[in-house]
């Protein structure tokens, strides 16, 4: 029996939600599937794929998120067209903004069906009004070239429906999911006289660790015993480091990169992700899997990750953030219940098995 060839295209290869998403899909592949990959450069994703014995199935194509870099965009498409001729995929599954553009244009030219997973929409905010209008027009055009569009949250599907209501049948919602962990990596004992908070993220927009740092500093100044550890990397790392130094609070620490969050999360009482924009963050799902209460911004699909397992925080509202941290601090004895609720929600809705099954039913 001939194997079905799937060509996965994404922009970046660095450690992040899209990389984790793709790895979960690949690990769930049956023997009847042969995967190939296109990405911008070597990084976390390509390293992990090599460990799975897929080194010869990876292609590197220069890509850029800059809409003005026409030369790179043309080169991206030409190289991708050549790779499609070589691989002869039965279907293309593209992810991320630029990967989604390249994959759909090239798939259309080569008459290969294309699935696009939208990990949050470019037109949902964070850009100037003219740029948002441009992205809406672009996504409308690209939807014409797409067999199915997977939205990782119902929030994102509803946003898309407002922009492209006539493509309703193409828009489907499949929540992100991840593999389970051994029980020894799950939270068991919560603190009694302090609140230990962790944020694991990339230090670049739209993440907003600065508000969390300021909130924890002010609450400690008010006499609360709250510890905050931040794990991450990115363009704004120096800015984060400088803010921590300026706050001069011994309870706030920068801890480096967390390549294995499952080894870290069980040491904390609360997982925080303060952000200005999201799709459906896999980092939050990792915390739910570990049985941690959540403190997360009410943006994107984050509301779908809260069900009696923590608190949503209004975006860019330091007062509300402080109030929600204080609530968690004042109910330390209830943290185990919140953590159990997180774990239960993960088990019923956000497992890799659930995501992989629904995704491959679309392909």
């Amino acid at each position: 029996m001939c194997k079905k060839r799937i060509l996965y295209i994404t922009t970046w290869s660095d450690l992040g939600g899209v990389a984790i998403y793709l790895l979960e899909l690949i690990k769930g592949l049956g023997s009847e599937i042969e995967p190939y990959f296109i990405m911008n450069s070597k990084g976390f994703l390509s390293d992990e794929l090599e460990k799975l014995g897929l080194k010869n199935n990876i292609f590197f194509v220069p890509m850029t998120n800059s809409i003005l870099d026409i030369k790179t965009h043309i080169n991206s498409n030409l190289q991708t067209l050549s790779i499609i001729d070589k691989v002869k995929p039965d279907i293309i599954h593209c992810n991320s903004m630029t990967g989604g553009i390249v994959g759909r244009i090239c798939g259309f030219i080569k008459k290969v069906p294309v699935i696009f997973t939208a990990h949050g929409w470019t037109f949902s905010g964070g850009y100037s009004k003219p740029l948002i209008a441009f992205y809406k027009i672009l996504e409308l055009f690209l939807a014409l070239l797409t067999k199915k569009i997977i939205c990782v949250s119902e929030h994102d599907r509803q946003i898309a429906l407002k922009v492209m209501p006539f493509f309703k049948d193409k828009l489907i919602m499949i929540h992100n999911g991840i593999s389970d962990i051994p029980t020894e990596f799950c939270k068991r004992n919560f603190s009694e006289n302090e609140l230990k908070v962790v944020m694991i993220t990339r230090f670049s927009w739209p993440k907003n660790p600065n508000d969390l740092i300021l909130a924890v500093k002010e609450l400690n100044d008010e006499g609360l015993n709250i510890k905050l550890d931040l794990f991450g990397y990115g363009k704004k790392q120096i800015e984060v480091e400088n803010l921590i130094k300026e706050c001069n609070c011994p309870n706030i620490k920068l801890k480096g990169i967390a390549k294995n969050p499952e080894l870290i999360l069980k040491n904390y009482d609360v997982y925080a992700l303060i952000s200005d924009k999201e799709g459906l963050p896999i980092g939050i799902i990792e915390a739910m899997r570990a049985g941690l209460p959540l403190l997360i911004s009410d943006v994107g699909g984050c509301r779908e990750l809260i069900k009696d397992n923590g608190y949503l925080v209004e975006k860019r509202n330091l007062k509300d953030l402080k109030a929600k941290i204080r609530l968690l601090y004042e109910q330390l004895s209830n943290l185990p219940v919140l953590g159990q609720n997180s774990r239960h929600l993960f088990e019923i809705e956000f497992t890799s098995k659930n995501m992989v099954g629904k995704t491959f039913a679309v392909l």
Side-chain angles (χ1 to χ4, degrees):
M1 185 179 82
C2 293
K3 290 187 176 183
K4 186 175 185 178
R5 294 188 170 194
I6 301 178
L7 176 60
Y8 293 93
I9 303 177
T10 186
T11 312
W12 310 114
S13 180
D14 60 344
L15 175 59
V18 176
I20 300 299
Y21 169 83
L22 289 173
L23 286 171
E24 290 291 349
L25 287 180
I26 301 312
K27 290 175 182 176
L29 287 177
S31 58
E32 72 279 7
I33 302 294
E34 187 174 356
Y36 292 84
F37 309 88
I38 292 176
M39 61 198 72
N40 179 279
S41 60
K42 287 182 176 289
F44 169 79
L45 177 57
S46 60
D47 290 345
E48 292 300 310
L49 291 172
E50 287 186 17
K51 292 176 185 176
L52 296 174
L54 295 168
K55 181 178 180 179
N56 295 331
N57 294 31
I58 305 171
F59 300 91
F60 298 106
V61 171
M63 284 185 266
T64 176
N65 284 339
S66 172
I67 61 174
L68 300 177
D69 191 351
I70 304 301
K71 182 178 179 180
T72 298
H73 286 304
I74 292 173
N75 190 30
S76 300
N77 283 277
L78 290 175
Q79 288 193 40
T80 299
L81 288 170
S82 177
I83 292 168
I84 291 173
D85 284 338
K86 180 178 180 179
V87 171
K88 294 180 172 52
D90 298 292
I91 196 162
I92 294 171
H93 184 178
C94 50
N95 300 261
S96 68
M97 183 178 73
T98 304
I101 296 170
V102 172
R104 286 182 279 183
I105 291 174
C106 293
F108 174 75
I109 292 172
K110 292 297 182 179
K111 295 181 172 57
V112 180
V114 180
I115 304 295
F116 172 58
T117 296
H119 301 271
W121 292 105
T122 50
F123 53 73
S124 64
Y127 300 97
S128 65
K129 288 183 179 180
L131 199 53
I132 288 174
F134 168 79
Y135 283 131
K136 285 182 179 179
I137 295 169
L138 179 62
E139 286 297 341
L140 275 169
F141 166 71
L142 292 172
L144 288 167
L145 316 181
T146 314
K147 178 185 175 183
K148 289 290 183 181
I149 299 171
I150 299 174
C151 302
V152 297
S153 71
E154 182 58 27
H155 175 273
D156 279 354
R157 194 179 80 89
Q158 292 301 321
I159 288 177
L161 280 171
K162 292 178 182 178
V163 174
M164 50 186 89
F166 25 88
F167 292 124
K168 180 180 179 180
D169 293 340
K170 290 188 177 185
L171 292 162
I172 59 174
M173 192 282 288
I174 302 176
H175 278 145
N176 285 335
I178 54 175
S179 304
D180 206 350
I181 52 176
T183 55
E184 60 261 32
F185 295 129
C186 293
K187 184 68 177 178
R188 287 292 176 262
N189 300 309
F190 287 82
S191 303
E192 297 180 359
N193 301 308
E194 62 183 3
L195 183 69
K196 294 188 290 187
V197 181
V198 63
M199 180 170 174
I200 303 174
T201 188
R202 183 188 293 113
F203 297 135
S204 59
W205 187 87
K207 313 304 182 186
N208 182 17
N210 291 13
D211 275 5
L212 184 60
I213 293 168
L214 292 173
V216 170
K217 185 261 193 296
E218 291 179 15
L219 288 168
N220 274 285
D221 288 346
E222 293 170 19
L224 279 64
N225 186 12
I226 300 170
K227 294 181 178 178
L228 170 63
D229 285 349
L230 297 118
F231 292 83
Y233 65 98
K235 296 178 180 179
K236 292 189 176 182
Q237 182 170 335
I238 300 299
E239 179 183 324
V240 172
E241 291 176 355
N242 290 338
L243 180 59
I244 292 174
K245 290 177 183 178
E246 183 180 324
C247 287
N248 192 28
C249 178
N251 278 2
I252 303 175
K253 296 178 181 178
L254 188 61
K255 305 288 284 188
I257 299 175
K259 290 188 176 181
N260 302 106
E262 65 273 12
L263 304 178
I264 295 168
L265 289 168
K266 65 178 181 177
N267 300 315
Y268 295 90
D269 302 311
V270 173
Y271 178 84
L273 185 64
I274 306 305
S275 185
D276 293 343
K277 182 181 177 182
E278 291 293 347
L280 193 80
I282 285 179
I284 298 177
I285 301 174
E286 289 174 336
M288 293 165 59
R289 178 182 65 180
L292 289 187
L294 305 178
L295 177 72
I296 58 179
S297 295
D298 189 6
V299 294
C302 290
R303 183 171 287 268
E304 295 163 46
L305 297 166
I306 291 288
K307 189 174 182 180
D308 300 322
N309 61 331
Y311 294 104
L312 290 165
V313 178
E314 185 178 337
K315 184 177 77 171
R316 289 283 178 179
N317 189 329
L318 189 61
K319 182 178 180 181
D320 187 44
L321 176 55
K322 286 179 61 178
K324 298 298 171 53
I325 297 174
R326 187 183 291 275
L327 274 175
L328 289 164
Y329 184 81
E330 291 174 348
Q331 54 182 236
L332 290 174
S333 61
N334 193 46
L335 294 185
V337 175
L338 298 180
Q340 289 169 11
N341 291 341
S342 269
R343 174 68 194 181
H344 179 64
L345 186 56
F346 161 75
E347 290 175 345
I348 62 174
E349 182 60 29
F350 299 101
T351 64
S352 177
K353 182 179 179 180
N354 190 35
M355 178 189 74
V356 171
K358 290 179 179 180
T359 301
F360 283 107
V362 175
L363 300 177

